[in-house]
Amino acid sequence: ETGVTQTPRHLVMGMTNKKSLKCEQHLGHNAMYWYKQSAKKPLELMFVYSLEERVENNSVPSRFSPECPNSSHLFLHLHTLQPEDSALYLCASSQEEGNEQFFGPGTRLTVL
Amino acid sequence: EDQVTQSPEALRLQEGESSSLNCSYTVSGLRGLFWYRQDPGKGPEFLFTLYSAGEEKEKERLKATLTKKESFLHITAPKPEDSATYLCAVQDDKIIFGKGTRLHILP
């Protein structure tokens, strides 16, 4: 595997389900990010991790819970989501925070 | 309030018809401006980083320029495979993305 990978690529869940999104980077980078991409809106930064420590949380609802167990892996735990949370969730990494970012293919999430 | 505005929202060009995309920004302390390309169903792909006014970067048919208030992505003699959404992002103490320009090149 090369670059940034994300699983699953598609996810359909009910409002009461609990699921997790996984991201793995094979670039040796120190920073990782979660974004939400909705139609007609700019990319919204959700969380930033640098050297496995969370450095930014942009007022994201607590139903989204990130986890960064090491510098190569990032998770986004989801529970009791709302239909308006349906979107493309993108993971990215960069050598250091503030450098150019390299994105994964995203997880298309649909909340019923 | 920090802002990034891209124009136009959408652009249709004939193959070979050169044009420019604009990204205007208002941030307190620019640390870098990034251009990305995004194809449908995929994550954004990094193109360029610009750090200071007057800087230019080129890659194949694309050239990015930067002033103190805006950046341009110039596309010279585009081909249909250049069709994509082009995203601009600005980094000060946080990163802010624009909404993007959807570019369609007609054969």
Side-chain angles (χ1 to χ4, degrees), chain A residues 9 35 37 40-43 45 56 88 90 97-105, chain B residues 31 34 36 38 41-44 46 49 51 87 91 93-95 97-99 102:
Chain A
R9 294 294 311 278
Y35 288 90
Q37 189 172 39
K40 306 293 184 183
K41 288 186 175 182
L43 273 169
L45 180 64
E56 190 155 350
L88 181 67
L90 290 161
E97 190 193 354
N99 293 157
E100 56 267 19
Q101 296 177 24
F102 294 84
F103 286 81
Chain B
R31 289 172 52 192
F34 307 99
Y36 293 87
Q38 187 173 22
K42 295 187 176 181
F46 170 70
T49 307
Y51 292 104
L87 302 174
Q91 177 87 42
D93 59 351
K94 59 185 180 297
I95 190 161
F97 276 82
K99 290 184 178 181
R102 293 190 313 280

Side-chain angles (χ1 to χ4, degrees), chain A residues 35-74:
Chain A
Y35 288 90
K36 176 183 179 181
Q37 189 172 39
S38 306
K40 306 293 184 183
K41 288 186 175 182
L43 273 169
E44 299 172 54
L45 180 64
M46 300 175 72
F47 301 103
V48 181
Y49 278 82
S50 179
L51 295 172
E52 302 151 46
E53 288 194 17
R54 190 192 306 181
V55 297
E56 190 155 350
N57 172 358
N58 281 349
S59 302
V60 179
S62 59
R63 56 186 184 268
F64 296 91
S65 175
E67 179 189 0
C68 187
N70 55 61
S71 59
S72 298
H73 293 86
L74 186 64

Side-chain angles (χ1 to χ4, degrees), chain B residues 78-97:
Chain B
K79 298 181 178 182
E81 54 263 40
D82 295 321
S83 298
T85 295
Y86 290 85
L87 302 174
C88 169
V90 170
Q91 177 87 42
D92 56 359
D93 59 351
K94 59 185 180 297
I95 190 161
I96 305 170
F97 276 82

Side-chain angles (χ1 to χ4, degrees), chain A residues 6 21 35-36 46 64 76 85 87-91 106-107 109:
Chain A
Q6 289 186 244
L21 310 185
Y35 288 90
K36 176 183 179 181
M46 300 175 72
F64 296 91
L76 188 63
D85 297 321
L88 181 67
Y89 288 84
L90 290 161
C91 173
T107 295
L109 174 67

